[in-house]
Amino acid sequence: DQQVKQNSPSLSVQEGRISILNCDYTNSMFDYFLWYKKYPAEGPTFLISISSIKDKNEDGRFTVFLNKSAKHLSLHIVPSQPGDSAVYFCAASARSGGSNYKLTFGKGTLLTVNP
Amino acid sequence: DVKVTQSSRYLVKRTGEKVFLECVQDMDHENMFWYRQDPGLGLRLIYFSYDVKMKEKGDIPEGYSVSREKKERFSLILESASTNQTSMYLCASSSLGRNTEAFFGQGTRLTVV
C-alpha cells in the first residue's frame, strides 16, 4: 500500500515557465514533508521541506505548498531552468518508535525543462 | 560539508555470492538507512538503524541483512545475491528527531549476473 503517491511519472515544461509537481499521501501521522532532486547515477539531494504546521515554504525559485485537509503537497519551480531537469521525489516523515523518524518516498516524477 | 560515502559506485557480482555494501558518514548522525531505487518503484526502504548494533526492518528486508558496529558505518549484506537484487542502492543518514532531512550517498549500482 503506497503511502506517498506521485501520480505523474513525468512532466515536460518550457524554460522560464512554472513547473508544478504534485504529491498525495494517505498516512495522517506524517508531519514533515520533503522534496529531493536526483540526477542519474547520483544520490538524491535535499531541496526543500515543510512542517505540517505550515502551509507554505519558499526558498528562492522553489516553493512547497501543503494542504493538510486534502493530504496533498506540491512543489512549484519558477522560473524553470534546463538544469532543473531531474527526477523529483516527494518524501514524508513519521515516527517509527521512540524518538526515531523515517522517511517514506514516492515513486518520483521526471521533470524535463526544454530550452 | 556533510558527507555520506558509499564504498563502490559500480559492482558486478555473480548469483549466489555474498555481497557487502559499505556506507560511512562523517556527520555523527544517529540514523542510517539503506534504500534501493528501481525504475517505476521509487526509493524503497530496506533497513535502517538508529544506534550502534540496533536495526529495524524497512519495507523490503527479504534477502538482506545489515550490520552497524560503529556509529559512522552501516553495511548492507546480500547473503546470496540474486538477479532480482540488481538495482541502485542508496545509503542515507540523518540526525535524531523530527523535522530533519536525510543526506544521501552517491549510490552503488549493483548488477547481479
Side-chain angles (χ1 to χ4, degrees):
Chain A
D1 181 33
Q2 212 183 337
Q3 298 185 61
V4 178
K5 300 176 185 178
Q6 294 178 256
N7 292 319
S8 298
S10 62
L11 175 68
S12 183
V13 300
Q14 284 300 120
E15 181 178 6
R17 306 294 289 269
I18 184 171
S19 296
I20 300 176
L21 297 102
N22 293 303
C23 179
D24 297 291
Y25 62 96
T26 56
N27 187 346
S28 57
M29 300 304 292
F30 289 141
D31 59 5
Y32 188 61
F33 303 90
L34 308 91
W35 285 94
Y36 282 81
K37 176 180 178 180
K38 186 181 185 298
Y39 294 117
E42 292 184 15
T45 54
F46 169 72
L47 198 55
I48 192 169
S49 62
I50 187 166
S51 165
S52 59
I53 62 173
K54 295 186 174 182
D55 56 15
K56 178 182 174 181
N57 188 26
E58 197 170 348
D59 184 2
R61 296 187 297 116
F62 303 90
T63 303
V64 56
F65 295 92
L66 175 63
N67 182 333
K68 278 187 69 178
S69 60
K71 293 191 173 68
H72 176 83
L73 63 154
S74 60
L75 174 68
H76 293 212
I77 306 173
V78 183
S80 301
Q81 299 173 355
D84 295 330
S85 297
V87 176
Y88 288 79
F89 289 100
C90 172
S93 175
R95 186 178 295 230
S96 174
S99 59
N100 298 299
Y101 289 79
K102 67 173 185 177
L103 293 178
T104 300
F105 285 83
K107 292 185 177 183
T109 297
L110 173 63
L111 172 66
T112 303
V113 180
N114 302 301
Chain B
D1 196 20
V2 298
K3 205 126 172 119
V4 178
T5 304
Q6 294 181 230
S7 53
S8 305
R9 289 296 298 268
Y10 300 95
L11 218 47
V12 180
K13 295 292 181 180
R14 295 195 180 278
T15 301
E17 272 192 81
K18 190 169 186 175
V19 181
F20 292 86
L21 302 183
E22 308 285 346
C23 175
V24 177
Q25 51 98 359
D26 65 359
M27 295 165 281
D28 202 35
H29 283 164
E30 291 81 7
N31 297 329
M32 295 188 76
F33 308 85
W34 277 105
Y35 291 87
R36 62 178 280 179
Q37 183 199 0
D38 301 288
L41 296 176
L43 273 66
R44 294 181 293 166
L45 182 63
I46 304 171
Y47 265 98
F48 65 104
S49 168
Y50 49 88
D51 200 354
V52 174
K53 297 193 186 295
M54 304 299 284
K55 62 184 178 185
E56 213 169 299
K57 291 180 180 179
D59 302 315
I60 51 165
E62 297 79 18
Y64 303 94
S65 63
V66 289
S67 172
R68 192 163 180 204
E69 296 296 319
K70 293 185 177 182
K71 188 176 185 180
E72 67 270 18
R73 189 178 296 268
F74 192 35
S75 303
L76 179 69
I77 304 154
L78 286 67
E79 297 291 342
S80 177
S82 63
T83 54
N84 63 12
Q85 292 178 310
T86 291
S87 186
M88 167 72 91
Y89 288 88
L90 294 158
C91 175
S93 71
S94 72
S95 55
L96 264 181
R98 65 198 312 166
N99 298 1
T100 62
E101 68 263 29
F103 296 87
F104 282 84
Q106 77 277 27
T108 296
R109 168 65 65 184
L110 173 67
T111 303
V112 183
V113 298

